[in-house]
Amino acid sequence: MPKMQHYNANIVIEGHYHQGRILNINDKFYINLPAFACNQSYFIVEYENEKIQFAQRSLKGH
């Protein structure tokens, strides 16, 4: 992914493409968020001990 060379960060999060994928590209994490409104879901992001974790939650059935 050529655009990753333009980011001066270890973690890049985008929501434009709505793919819902997490990739490791050249020792950087690229996180492409899904379409939350269409999926009726959201993420909880936790950062602890230099690790980032994502927990997806659904609004369906509530």
Side-chain angles (χ1 to χ4, degrees):
M1 182 172 289
K3 68 179 174 178
M4 289 298 287
Q5 67 187 0
H6 300 291
Y7 293 110
N8 185 21
N10 293 329
I11 301 170
V12 176
I13 301 173
E14 289 189 318
H16 179 74
Y17 300 103
H18 306 297
Q19 295 170 329
R21 299 186 65 193
I22 298 175
L23 305 171
N24 189 327
I25 301 170
N26 298 328
D27 294 325
K28 296 181 181 183
F29 283 102
Y30 175 75
I31 302 163
N32 192 315
L33 301 174
F36 298 112
C38 294
N39 296 339
Q40 296 182 4
S41 65
Y42 61 95
F43 274 93
I44 296 173
V45 180
E46 295 179 347
Y47 182 77
E48 186 176 334
N49 298 326
E50 298 186 23
K51 293 184 181 180
I52 190 167
Q53 293 185 329
F54 296 88
Q56 186 172 6
R57 301 288 189 256
S58 176
L59 298 174
K60 294 178 182 179
H62 291 263

